[in-house]
Amino acid sequence: MKKTKLLLLLFTISLAGYAQPDKTLWYKKPAQYFEESLVLGNGKLGATVFGGVQSDKIYLNDATLWSGEPVNPNMNPEAYKHIPAIREALQKEDYKLADQLYRKIQGKYSESFAPLGTLYINFANEDKAQNYYRELNIGEAVSKTTYEIDGVKYTREYFVSHPDQIMIIKLTSSKAGALSFDVKFNSLLKNKVTANGNLLSVNGYAPVKALPNYVNSPNAVVFDESKGTRFTTLAKIKNTGGSVLATDSTIGIKNGTEALIFVSIATSFNGFDKNPATEGLDNKAIAAANLNKAFAKPFLQLKQAHIKDYQTFFNRVSLNIGASQAPVLPTDERLRRYAEGKEDKVLEVLYFQYGRYLLISSSRTNGVPANLQGIWNPYMRPPWSSNYTTNINAEENYWLAENTNLSEMHKPLLGFIRNASETGKITARTFYGVNGWTVAHNSDIWAMSNPVGDFGNGDPVWANWTMGGTWLSTHLWEHYIFTKDISFLKNEAYGIMRGAAQFCQEWLVPDKNGNLVTSPSTSPENKYITSTGYHGATLYGATADLAMIRECFEQTIKASKILNTDVEFRTRLEQALAKLYPYQIGKKGNLQEWYYDWEDEDPKHRHQSHLFGLFPGNHITPEKTPSLAEACRKTLEIKGDETTGWSKGWRINLWARLWDGNHAYKMYRELLHYVEPDGVKTKYARGGGTYPNLFDAHPPFQIDGNFGGAAAVAEMLVQSDENLIRLLPALPDDWSNGSVKGLCARGGFEITMTWANKTVKSITVYSKKGGQTTLVSGSKSKKINLKAGQKLNVVL
């Protein structure tokens, strides 16, 4: 009897999420909205699980399924001829004319990430379920749903395997013969569904054009049977007991006990420069091969291979920020409670690790990085096309890649940068009249690099921005400096970095005082008010441009020196760097966003691009440039803390770089403010926040806030440059005691440490490639020099 009670207690504890509370999202009811669902992915195949009782709905996505086809970057071949007239207008301080003329430097919109379709599992049960429970275990990347009907327990288990490139759904009933269901598929894309025995086959294609959701057009979505990316979805049932049933468009099981549903997906996408209709991969053959290989394997073997592969990355980092007194509640209830100002360190750790989970799950396809929604999108015209928005969002997705020990997940972005540098060479010549390469603020799977706006219909405040390539190129250096992979720097990164720097060097022009500035220029999505009252976007010498160029030049110069190459070009960069228009501190003590000390049209604007040098850049610091750091602080104070999700994620990192842990923590808490699903506003919703499934609420959902928030936790604990590692630089008072394992630092180092009363108690440093650094903790510092593969316990 005692043994039975113990087993029941253990089951109850496990059910309530006690087993791994900082690694488990769980709920007591099915998802009704997308923002309540649980997402799975293997870096290519994405699944959004609702966990319904009578009908389970699963959105399916493939990272490579987009509208469109390879872009023609030479779409506005004489755009550059308008640059002199814009510069002349700016020299005359005619900003209205400059705004009008800048519209001539525009091209097409980006394409959109497409929704592959929805898999439905419809059950024969009609009675109401009891003891309903669903979870996502981010420690294993496995989701589970359980409930009881008439004394029969039903269990579903879901995972998406990277090793086997397959989704597995396991369905069981505790009573023999009690499992009956059918499987069907719907899609917003053009498709044909067939069923044969236990196999459901879907073949279709994406649109050749899908305009952004903010563009009003009668032809917003265009299908052409001879164009566009093809896709195949296969679903096959392996059953234990019962009989297999099929119609012309469904498959199912009647009176079974256990069943496995294998879901295989493939597309014809064959690279950014290959026509997916005429030069595409054989999606039918690939989907069938993956399905057949997985179908032949036992379930346990598939699951173990999936977990082993996933945990190779996830288990590298563990975090403890002290004991929590918060009760164990469903995740949505935890969020509501937390929004009332109550303590919940478990939730704070869960959110951090969930960001890492999402990156592993959405970023493992070469040249195809996580988009605005990761890889989870049910809409034909998703918010902002679910594209790659390079004036912050695409980069913010990858701020946690290196420092939270997920360097491999950075590679899809790095591959995309390589692709964009190819189309960007033509954009540089035809839109701007210079060499090198660049990207404007929107891109897509086809590495589109031109400014958007539909050839003159876009406001320059968002349509015309030139620094996408400049910002993106800094990720190449970051990957090198964290990994010390000299082969990567030499053979892959340097040439692309050089091209980005060349664009900037040739794009710069002297101002009236001989300083180098960009002209024309904008500051992402923000407007100024001139002394005469004009509200505009186009100017010369925007601080954000120059901040990104500084970082790009400094990194390219360093890379050139490390590789001992390109001396003449390096000299030109050094000369240009010395002549850049310097940072200016405004009359309010703020870091000026504009060349002149103008007012902002929106003083609390969500973008803070001119603070780039503080973060994600590294050339403004409280130690090296205290006056500029203080001006950044003043800017943040003026902007305030209420902002959108991704912007809040960025500001937490900025406050961390100012070594203000308590302010960073305040905003981290605000990032986790509960937001009702489906855009419903309540007292919990304050600008950005978090949906019940821990998705970031921009609003609507954007994944960059998740990634920015997770990266900020790492920045609060460890900051670094090429020569120094700073420990606990922005530790909040609420995290006075804790430990972390596996955070990475520049120079190729890995940090494990414990702390108590905000003081480091133990530290272990592991060196991947060997090298020297200085550890700093408060007033203490110590130089260390490690060999490759050496692990050292350090006493400060």
Side-chain angles (χ1 to χ4, degrees):
M1 185 67 179
K2 288 183 178 179
K3 184 176 181 181
T4 302
K5 288 184 176 178
L6 177 60
L7 289 173
L8 181 61
L9 176 62
L10 290 173
F11 172 77
T12 304
I13 289 173
S14 176
L15 188 66
Y18 277 97
Q20 287 185 309
D22 60 349
K23 295 184 179 66
T24 307
L25 289 72
W26 67 281
Y27 307 84
K28 294 190 292 186
K29 61 181 181 180
Q32 180 181 359
Y33 299 109
F34 174 63
E35 297 85 357
E36 296 174 303
S37 62
L38 297 174
V39 295
L40 301 162
N42 64 0
K44 185 174 186 290
L45 192 167
T48 305
V49 181
F50 283 70
V53 175
Q54 272 71 45
S55 179
D56 195 359
K57 179 169 62 177
I58 304 171
Y59 294 150
L60 296 173
N61 288 99
D62 186 294
T64 63
L65 187 61
W66 289 63
S67 65
E69 56 189 4
V71 68
N72 172 20
N74 195 27
M75 66 185 70
N76 193 347
E78 297 190 344
Y80 72 96
K81 292 182 179 179
H82 299 285
I83 296 295
I86 302 171
R87 286 176 171 165
E88 182 180 359
L90 290 172
Q91 286 176 344
K92 295 178 179 179
E93 314 294 335
D94 190 342
Y95 300 104
K96 182 177 181 179
L97 178 60
D99 272 337
Q100 293 170 349
L101 292 173
Y102 211 5
R103 289 174 178 263
K104 297 179 182 293
I105 316 296
Q106 293 179 6
K108 69 182 286 290
Y109 290 113
S110 76
E111 293 299 336
S112 300
F113 181 48
L116 187 145
T118 305
L119 193 76
Y120 293 91
I121 309 174
N122 298 317
F123 297 89
N125 305 316
E126 295 182 0
D127 293 336
K128 188 174 181 180
Q130 296 179 320
N131 299 324
Y132 181 92
Y133 172 81
R134 66 185 173 102
E135 73 169 24
L136 171 62
N137 180 345
I138 63 171
E140 296 184 345
V142 174
S143 182
K144 183 181 290 186
T145 298
T146 63
Y147 54 88
E148 295 177 13
I149 297 178
D150 294 333
V152 180
K153 182 180 179 182
Y154 295 90
T155 302
R156 290 178 229 147
E157 198 170 359
Y158 322 74
F159 62 87
V160 183
S161 167
H162 184 267
D164 289 287
Q165 290 296 305
I166 202 84
M167 180 180 185
I168 303 290
I169 307 166
K170 182 181 181 181
L171 307 97
T172 60
S173 63
S174 63
K175 179 182 176 182
L179 184 65
S180 297
F181 64 89
D182 63 61
V183 177
K184 71 174 186 177
F185 178 90
N186 285 338
S187 178
L188 298 173
L189 308 183
K190 301 295 184 182
N191 71 98
K192 182 178 181 180
V193 181
T194 60
N196 184 12
N198 63 344
L199 178 65
L200 187 73
S201 302
V202 185
N203 288 288
Y205 55 95
V208 72
K209 180 179 78 171
L211 291 176
N213 65 329
Y214 51 82
V215 175
N216 186 14
S217 169
N219 299 308
V221 179
V222 177
F223 286 94
D224 185 331
E225 192 172 359
S226 65
K227 296 181 179 181
T229 302
R230 276 53 188 148
F231 74 89
T232 297
T233 301
L234 303 176
K236 191 172 185 179
I237 298 175
K238 181 186 289 187
N239 62 303
T240 301
S243 53
V244 177
L245 303 176
T247 68
D248 59 349
S249 61
T250 67
I251 57 174
I253 295 294
K254 183 176 182 180
N255 299 333
T257 304
E258 179 179 300
L260 299 175
I261 303 174
F262 294 74
V263 182
S264 179
I265 292 174
T267 79
S268 65
F269 178 76
N270 194 24
F272 79 104
D273 55 353
K274 299 287 194 305
N275 187 307
T278 60
E279 304 172 275
L281 299 176
D282 189 340
N283 45 289
K284 295 179 181 179
I286 295 170
N290 288 338
L291 176 67
N292 293 335
K293 288 177 184 177
F295 200 81
K297 298 178 181 179
F299 171 78
L300 191 58
Q301 180 181 341
L302 291 164
K303 183 178 179 181
Q304 288 175 340
H306 157 68
I307 293 174
K308 181 180 179 181
D309 169 77
Y310 170 77
Q311 289 184 340
T312 298
F313 307 106
F314 185 81
N315 286 354
R316 290 174 181 171
V317 172
S318 61
L319 175 64
N320 183 317
I321 50 175
S324 175
Q325 302 303 315
V328 177
L329 297 170
T331 304
D332 53 340
E333 294 180 29
R334 292 193 92 119
L335 278 170
R336 288 178 184 270
R337 177 184 177 276
Y338 189 77
E340 295 170 355
K342 296 176 181 176
E343 177 271 325
D344 196 338
K345 292 183 173 63
V346 170
L347 180 63
E348 291 167 355
V349 173
L350 176 64
Y351 189 86
F352 164 73
Q353 291 286 24
Y354 184 61
R356 299 181 67 247
Y357 165 81
L358 291 174
L359 190 63
I360 299 169
S361 302
S362 64
S363 185
R364 297 184 72 178
T365 302
N366 185 37
V368 186
N371 60 55
L372 282 174
Q373 278 75 36
I375 54 171
W376 301 282
N377 162 51
Y379 308 112
M380 179 67 81
R381 298 174 71 194
W384 301 284
S385 301
S386 265
N387 65 17
Y388 303 128
T389 306
T390 65
N391 67 9
I392 167 62
N393 315 92
E395 293 90 349
E396 185 171 5
N397 281 2
Y398 287 88
W399 287 347
L400 77 163
E402 299 294 344
N403 61 1
T404 74
N405 217 329
L406 297 175
S407 186
E408 294 89 343
M409 279 69 240
H410 208 170
K411 291 180 180 178
L413 178 66
L414 305 180
F416 170 79
I417 295 170
R418 180 179 62 249
N419 299 343
S421 72
E422 292 299 318
T423 57
K425 291 174 186 175
I426 300 172
T427 292
R429 290 197 301 270
T430 60
F431 281 84
Y432 307 113
V434 297
N435 296 300
W437 71 276
T438 195
V439 174
H441 99 286
N442 279 164
S443 190
D444 52 30
I445 199 170
W446 313 110
M448 189 195 83
S449 51
N450 59 269
V452 296
D454 193 25
F455 301 93
N457 292 314
D459 189 328
V461 73
W462 53 265
N464 293 89
W465 183 67
T466 57
M467 292 288 115
T470 313
W471 191 339
L472 284 169
S473 72
T474 64
H475 281 257
L476 299 164
W477 174 257
E478 286 289 276
H479 182 68
Y480 163 72
I481 204 62
F482 270 96
T483 63
K484 298 305 291 288
D485 185 345
I486 193 72
S487 176
F488 168 80
L489 182 66
K490 179 180 179 181
N491 300 320
E492 298 182 52
Y494 180 71
I496 302 172
M497 294 170 64
R498 186 190 194 281
Q502 183 182 17
F503 169 83
C504 295
Q505 189 244 327
E506 294 189 17
W507 182 239
L508 290 165
V509 295
D511 67 4
K512 297 169 185 176
N513 299 313
N515 295 304
L516 293 178
V517 296
T518 50
S519 179
S521 176
T522 64
S523 194
E525 302 183 38
N526 200 4
K527 285 190 173 185
Y528 54 77
I529 305 174
T530 68
S531 56
T532 60
Y534 177 70
H535 293 233
T538 308
L539 73 156
Y540 53 82
T543 302
D545 282 7
L546 300 176
M548 294 170 196
I549 291 172
R550 280 187 177 86
E551 198 76 16
C552 175
F553 281 5
E554 288 181 2
Q555 293 175 353
T556 307
I557 290 166
K558 291 173 186 175
S560 170
K561 290 179 178 178
I562 290 169
L563 297 174
N564 193 25
T565 188
D566 228 355
V567 176
E568 182 180 345
F569 180 69
R570 183 203 312 163
T571 301
R572 293 206 301 271
L573 291 188
E574 290 171 334
Q575 292 170 344
L577 183 61
K579 292 182 179 179
L580 286 181
Y581 180 65
Y583 282 109
Q584 302 293 313
I585 297 175
K587 57 182 175 291
K588 299 175 184 177
N590 60 303
L591 193 72
Q592 281 183 201
E593 186 165 359
W594 319 105
Y595 184 91
Y596 297 105
D597 195 7
W598 290 331
E599 296 292 329
D600 295 328
E601 183 180 74
D602 177 8
K604 297 183 181 297
H605 196 267
R606 63 194 176 280
H607 282 263
Q608 46 265 328
S609 311
H610 60 305
L611 306 187
F612 180 93
L614 178 63
F615 184 91
N618 289 280
H619 62 264
I620 295 178
T621 73
E623 183 180 45
K624 296 178 182 178
T625 57
S627 60
L628 292 179
E630 187 57 34
C632 291
R633 176 186 293 273
K634 185 61 178 178
T635 299
L636 290 172
E637 290 172 351
I638 292 171
K639 282 184 172 288
D641 294 344
E642 294 304 321
T643 187
T644 59
W646 64 260
S647 178
K648 202 175 287 281
W650 191 355
R651 290 184 192 179
I652 302 168
N653 283 278
L654 288 163
W655 281 108
R657 283 286 178 90
L658 290 171
W659 305 342
D660 193 332
N662 287 333
H663 201 123
Y665 177 67
K666 170 186 177 291
M667 294 198 72
Y668 186 66
R669 287 195 63 104
E670 291 173 1
L671 187 65
L672 271 69
H673 267 284
Y674 181 82
V675 176
E676 289 287 355
D678 203 36
V680 178
K681 300 297 182 182
T682 73
K683 66 179 181 179
Y684 296 104
R686 297 169 56 192
T690 298
Y691 290 118
N693 63 356
L694 296 190
F695 267 171
D696 170 65
H698 169 51
F701 161 57
Q702 277 189 199
I703 205 166
D704 37 33
N706 289 102
F707 293 142
V713 172
E715 286 290 330
M716 292 157 79
L717 302 176
V718 176
Q719 293 177 21
S720 62
D721 59 27
E722 293 93 322
N723 305 304
L724 179 149
I725 300 173
R726 195 176 296 275
L727 309 174
L728 306 181
L731 187 72
D733 293 339
D734 286 71
W735 296 354
S736 295
N737 304 300
S739 63
V740 69
K741 174 182 80 72
L743 291 182
C744 292
R746 292 170 181 83
F749 298 100
E750 198 171 298
I751 304 297
T752 296
M753 64 176 166
T754 63
W755 64 91
N757 298 319
K758 301 188 71 173
T759 302
V760 174
K761 294 300 181 183
S762 67
I763 178 168
T764 301
V765 182
Y766 169 74
S767 177
K768 299 172 184 177
K769 295 294 179 71
Q772 181 175 295
T773 190
T774 299
L775 297 176
V776 177
S777 177
S779 61
K780 299 178 180 178
S781 65
K782 186 169 187 175
K783 281 189 177 182
I784 57 172
N785 196 343
L786 280 71
K787 298 177 181 178
Q790 183 181 359
K791 185 179 290 187
L792 181 67
N793 295 322
V794 182
V795 178
L796 290 173

